[in-house]
C-alpha cells in the first residue's frame, strides 16, 4: 500500500448545471439545521460549562465509563459530516470532561478505563475514533492514541494486557491497570438487579435452575458463588471479544503510520485464526494464559466470558471478529483478511435447523450442545459485502430468508431491539437492510424515507429529553436500567441520531456499535473553512457502489453562496480515484477527467448540481486521519522523564 500523501494540487471539477434541489437534498439541509440546534439543547440540558455531566456524586463498580461517552459521541461524528463549527470544540471539551469525571469516580486512570471488557471499551471508544476523524489532530490526540494502543501491544509496563510471545490478551477485563484476573463483589455491584433476568453464567451454580434462563444475582449467596467461579474460570486468558482491541490499534496507526500497531493487529487476528483451526473450524471462546483452549474450563472450548454460553452468545463472537477483519483489510488492503468472519458465518449457517416453518441458526452452546436458535441477521454479512463487494459475501446476505420487508424504514424507539422486525437498534441504528436494498438499486425511495424517519426520531428524542423524566435533576440514585437515573440515560435521551446522513453521504453502513470504525466509500472536506465535512448548503448522495466505482450526486442548495469542497476516496483516504465521468440531470456523460489521486476538488457555484461516476482502486493507500492540507509541523510524540 502506498503510504505517501500526494503533494500536488488535486484535480478540479466545476459544477455548472443549474438545478432545482431534489427532495433528498433539501431534507439533508433541514436535518443538519435541526441536529445543530438539538446538539446545543442537549449540551445545555446535561452538561456543566466545563464539559462534565450533571449527575450524581459517586458511581461504584466497574461498569459505566463507556455509557457517558456513548451518549455524547455523536457530537463529534455530526461535526465530521458537516455539522456546525462549534461542535468541534464542544465535542473535545465534553470528552475531556467525561474523562476527568469518571477518573474522580474511580473507574478511569491515565485517561483510559482501569479495567473492563472489550464490548464496553468498544462502545465507549467510538467517541475517540470519531474525534480522530474530526481533525486536524492535536498533540493530545496523537499522544493518547499511542499511549492507549501501547496498553495492548505489551509496551506499557503499567498495563501488561498483551502477551507478545503467546499472542494473546491476558484477560477479558483489561485497561490502564492491566489484566484484572480477580474481580470483587463491588465490581459487579451496579449490575446485580439487571442480571437477575439473564441466563446464569455457569451451569453448576448451587440452587440455580440453569434451564430457567434466569439467575438471582441479587441473592447474596448466589452472587458470591458467581464471583468465585468467574475468578476461577473466566477472568484469566483470552476471549474473542478482545478482537475489538484491534480498532484501538488501527486508531493509533491512522494517527501515526507506525507499522508496529498494524503488525500487532494482524498478528493477533492470525492467532485467533490458528486457534479456530485447532478447534475444528469453530472459534473457541476461552484461551488460557498458556495458549491452551479451555485451560480453566475443564477443556471446554465454550463457556468463556461473553462467549458461546453467556450472556449474548453469537453476537459477542461474530461482532468483534467482523470488526477485526474489517480493520485488517483497511490496514493491509488484503481481502483474504475477511476469512475468519466469513468462515464463522458459514459454520453458523451450516448448523441451521428448520423450526416452526423457518430456518434458524444457533446463538449459544451449552454443555448439552447448540441451542438458542434464532433467525440469522444480515448485519454482519452486509458489512463484509460492503468491504469486499464480492459475490461470495453477497450470497451470504442473500441466503438469509427475509422475515420482513427489507425495504421498510423504521424509527427506533429504544437502543435495543425493534419488536416488529427484530432488527438490532443499538445506538438507534436500525436501517441497514433498507440501505443495503437501496445501494443495490432495489429501494429507490430510501433517501427520502430515511431522512424523514431520522427527522421523526429527533423529534421523539427531543420530546423525551424535554420531559420531566429527561431532567437530570429529577434522576434518583438507583442503578436499575428501568430507572432513568441509570447510566444509560444519556443514550436514551440523546437526540443526535442520524443514520441516514451517514449512509447516504458516505455510501456506507453505520459502524458496528461495539467498537467498529466508521467506514465510508467517500468523505468530504470544506476547502473554504479548512475543516472536515460538507460545506454549508451542500447535500451529497452516494447513489451506487460497485467493486471499482462510486456514483455520487452533489447539490448546492443555496442560491447565494458558492462553495469549494474536496471529496476523498475512502473514509481514511485508503482508495484512489481513477477516471471521473461528469453527468447531467438526464444521466448523459458531459465530460471525463483523469484523477489518479485520493482527492478530488469540486467547485460548486450557487444553485448548481453535479453527478460524478468515478472509477477507483480500493485499499491501495495506507489509511490516515490526516486532513488534505499538508501540515507544516506535524506534532511530535512527547517523551516523559525516566522514572
Amino acid at each position: 500500500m502506498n503510504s505517501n500523501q500526494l503533494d500536488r494540487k488535486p484535480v478540479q471539477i466545476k459544477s455548472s448545471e443549474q438545478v432545482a434541489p431534489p427532495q433528498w437534498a433539501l431534507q439533508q439541509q433541514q436535518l443538519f439545521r435541526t441536529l445543530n440546534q438539538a446538539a446545543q439543547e442537549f449540551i445545555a440540558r446535561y452538561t456543566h460549562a466545563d464539559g462534565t455531566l450533571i449527575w450524581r456524586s459517586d458511581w461504584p463498580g466497574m461498569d459505566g465509563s463507556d455509557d457517558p461517552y456513548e451518549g455524547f459521541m455523536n457530537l463529534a461524528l455530526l461535526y465530521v459530516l458537516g455539522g456546525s463549527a462549534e461542535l468541534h470544540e464542544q465535542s473535545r471539551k465534553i470528552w475531556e470532561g467525561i474523562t476527568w469525571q469518571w477518573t474522580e469516580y474511580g473507574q478511569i486512570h491515565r485517561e483510559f478505563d482501569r479495567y473492563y471488557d472489550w464490548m464496553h471499551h468498544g462502545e465507549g471508544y467510538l467517541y475517540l475514533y470519531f474525534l480522530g476523524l474530526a481533525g486536524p489532530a492535536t498533540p493530545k490526540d496523537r499522544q493518547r492514541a499511542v499511549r492507549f494502543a501501547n496498553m495492548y501491544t505489551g509496551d506499557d509496563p503499567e498495563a501488561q494486557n498483551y502477551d507478545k510471545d503467546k499472542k494473546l490478551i491476558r484477560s477479558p477485563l483489561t485497561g490502564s491497570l492491566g489484566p484484572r484476573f480477580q474481580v470483587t463483589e463491588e465490581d459487579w455491584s451496579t449490575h446485580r438487579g439487571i442480571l437477575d433476568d439473564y441466563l446464569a453464567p455457569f451451569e453448576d451454580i448451587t440452587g440455580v435452575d440453569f434451564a430457567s434462563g434466569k439467575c438471582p444475582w441479587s441473592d447474596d449467596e448466589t452472587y458470591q458463588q458467581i464471583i468465585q467461579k468467574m475468578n476461577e474460570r473466566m477472568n484469566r486468558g483470552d476471549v474473542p471479544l478482545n478482537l475489538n482491541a484491534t480498532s484501538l490499534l488501527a486508531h493509533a496507526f491512522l494517527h501515526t503510520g507506525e507499522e508496529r500497531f498494524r503488525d500487532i493487529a494482524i498478528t493477533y487476528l492470525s492467532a485467533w485464526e490458528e486457534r479456530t483451526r485447532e478447534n475444528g473450524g469453530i472459534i473457541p471462546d476461552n484461551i488460557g494464559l498458556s495458549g491452551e483452549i479451555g485451560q480453566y474450563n475443564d477443556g471446554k472450548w465454550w463457556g468463556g466470558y461473553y462467549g458461546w454460553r453467556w450472556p449474548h452468545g453469537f453476537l459477542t463472537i461474530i461482532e468483534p471478529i467482523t470488526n477485526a477483519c474489517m480493520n485488517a483489510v483497511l490496514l493491509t488492503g488484503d481481502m483474504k483478511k475477511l476469512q475468519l468472519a466469513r468462515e464463522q458465518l458459514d459454520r453458523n449457517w451450516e448448523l441451521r435447523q428448520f423450526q416452526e416453518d423457518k430456518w434458524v441458526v444457533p446463538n449459544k452452546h451449552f454443555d448439552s450442545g447448540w441451542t438458542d436458535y434464532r433467525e440469522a441477521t444480515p448485519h454482519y454479512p452486509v458489512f463484509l459485502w460492503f468491504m469486499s463487494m464480492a459475490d461470495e459475501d453477497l450470497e451470504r446476505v442473500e441466503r438469509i430468508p427475509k422475515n420482513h420487508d427489507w425495504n421498510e424504514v423504521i424509527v427506533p424507539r429504544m437502543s435495543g431491539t425493534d419488536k416488529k422486525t427484530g432488527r438490532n437498534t443499538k445506538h438507534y441504528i436500525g436501517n441497514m437492510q433498507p440501505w443495503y436494498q437501496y445501494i443495490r438499486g432495489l429501494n429507490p425511495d430510501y433517501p427520502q424515507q430515511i431522512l424523514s424517519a431520522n427527522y421523526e426520531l429527533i423529534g421523539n428524542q427531543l420530546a423525551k429529553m424535554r420531559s420531566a423524566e429527561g431532567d437530570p435533576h429529577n434522576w434518583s440514585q438507583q442503578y436499575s436500567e428501568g430507572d432513568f437515573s441509570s447510566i444509560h440515560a444519556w443514550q436514551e435521551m440523546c437526540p443526535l441520531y442520524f443514520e441516514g446522513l451517514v449512509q447516504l453521504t458516505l455510501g456506507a453502513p453505520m459502524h458496528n456499535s461495539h467498537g467498529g470504525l466508521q467506514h465510508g466509500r467517500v468523505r468530504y472536506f470544506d476547502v473554504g473553512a479548512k475543516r472536515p465535512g460538507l460545506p454549508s448548503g451542500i447535500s451529497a448522495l452516494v447513489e451506487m457502489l460497485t467493486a471499482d466505482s462510486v456514483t455520487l450526486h452533489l447539490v448546492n442548495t443555496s442560491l447565494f453562496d458558492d462553495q469549494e469542497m474536496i471529496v476523498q476516496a475512502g473514509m481514511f483516504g485508503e482508495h484512489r480515484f481513477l477516471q471521473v465521468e461528469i453527468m447531467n440531470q438526464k444521466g448523459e456523460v458531459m465530460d471525463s477527467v483523469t484523477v489518479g489521486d485520493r482527492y478530488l476538488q469540486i467547485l460548486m457555484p450557487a444553485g448548481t448540481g453535479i453527478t460524478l461516476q468515478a472509477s477507483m482502486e480500493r485499499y491501495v493507500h495506507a489509511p490516515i486521519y490526516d486532513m488534505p492540507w499538508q501540515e507544516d509541523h506535524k506534532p511530535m510524540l512527547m517523551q516523559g522523564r525516566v522514572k
Side-chain angles (χ1 to χ4, degrees), residues 53 103 107 110 128 212 297 332 478 485 493 510 512 631:
L53 308 192
T103 299
Q107 187 50 29
R110 293 191 293 152
L128 195 69
S212 71
N297 199 23
T332 67
Q478 302 303 311
S485 72
M493 300 299 167
M510 288 287 280
N512 258 326
E631 296 182 58

Side-chain angles (χ1 to χ4, degrees), residues 26-39:
L26 296 174
Q27 285 179 278
Q28 280 191 14
Q29 294 307 306
Q30 179 191 42
L31 208 55
F32 271 121
R33 290 191 298 271
T34 302
L35 287 163
N36 286 336
Q37 288 183 261

Side-chain angles (χ1 to χ4, degrees), residues 281-295:
I282 297 289
I283 192 168
D285 71 11
N286 63 111
I287 307 296
L289 291 173
S290 68
E292 178 188 346
I293 296 172
Q295 181 178 354

Side-chain angles (χ1 to χ4, degrees), residues 90-107:
Q90 288 173 323
S91 62
R92 289 177 176 276
K93 182 171 72 172
I94 291 171
W95 190 92
E96 299 269 6
I98 291 169
T99 302
W100 178 87
Q101 191 168 354
W102 264 258
T103 299
E104 295 300 300
Y105 288 144
Q107 187 50 29

Side-chain angles (χ1 to χ4, degrees), residues 35 38-39 42 457-458 461-462 465 490 493-498:
L35 287 163
F42 181 57
L457 174 59
I458 296 166
Q461 293 298 106
L462 285 171
M465 184 184 82
W490 302 290
M493 300 299 167
C494 178
L496 303 180
Y497 295 116
F498 39 88

Side-chain angles (χ1 to χ4, degrees), residues 401-625:
K402 294 178 171 61
N403 60 359
H404 66 282
D405 180 5
W406 280 18
N407 285 3
E408 180 184 358
V409 173
I410 65 171
V411 180
R413 299 292 171 178
M414 62 174 294
S415 181
T417 302
D418 181 73
K419 293 181 179 178
K420 178 183 175 184
T421 63
R423 296 183 195 169
N424 186 332
T425 56
K426 178 70 176 176
H427 294 157
Y428 290 82
I429 301 166
N431 290 287
M432 178 178 277
Q433 287 96 319
W435 173 79
Y436 162 79
Q437 293 284 97
Y438 160 73
I439 208 66
R440 294 185 61 234
L442 304 174
N443 192 5
D445 296 329
Y446 181 67
Q448 295 93 324
Q449 291 175 351
I450 187 61
L451 293 169
S452 293
N454 284 179
Y455 188 81
E456 181 181 342
L457 174 59
I458 296 166
N460 293 345
Q461 293 298 106
L462 285 171
K464 194 190 303 183
M465 184 184 82
R466 292 164 178 166
S467 69
E469 63 185 1
D471 185 346
H473 298 97
N474 292 339
W475 295 348
S476 74
Q477 297 295 303
Q478 302 303 311
Y479 305 147
S480 171
E481 291 211 12
D483 184 324
F484 279 112
S485 72
S486 77
I487 203 163
H488 288 174
W490 302 290
Q491 295 175 61
E492 298 303 332
M493 300 299 167
C494 178
L496 303 180
Y497 295 116
F498 39 88
E499 181 181 18
L501 277 182
V502 169
Q503 294 171 330
L504 301 181
T505 63
L506 303 183
M510 288 287 280
H511 56 276
N512 258 326
S513 298
H514 299 107
L517 300 181
Q518 178 57 63
H519 294 261
R521 182 64 73 93
V522 292
R523 73 171 294 202
Y524 313 95
F525 296 89
D526 182 337
V527 172
K530 281 205 169 184
R531 55 154 286 185
L534 289 161
S536 177
I538 302 294
S539 295
L541 178 63
V542 175
E543 296 181 327
M544 185 180 298
L545 298 176
T546 72
D548 56 8
S549 73
V550 60
T551 303
L552 174 62
H553 192 172
L554 300 170
V555 178
N556 188 343
T557 63
S558 171
L559 293 174
F560 304 98
D561 301 312
D562 298 343
Q563 296 290 3
E564 191 171 351
M565 62 189 291
I566 285 176
V567 182
Q568 178 175 280
M571 196 69 176
F572 310 99
E574 66 272 27
H575 307 326
R576 178 189 297 137
F577 293 122
L578 299 176
Q579 199 77 12
V580 177
E581 293 183 336
I582 303 166
M583 297 183 289
N584 63 17
Q585 292 186 79
K586 297 178 182 179
E588 301 166 334
V589 177
M590 306 303 293
D591 198 3
S592 179
V593 296
T594 300
V595 179
D597 195 353
R598 58 166 47 124
Y599 303 121
L600 177 63
Q601 195 156 344
I602 313 289
L603 308 179
M604 297 289 297
T608 65
I610 190 171
T611 298
L612 308 172
Q613 189 171 72
S615 62
M616 63 197 320
E617 293 177 301
R618 297 191 303 129
Y619 302 104
V620 293
H621 290 299
I624 53 173
Y625 277 141

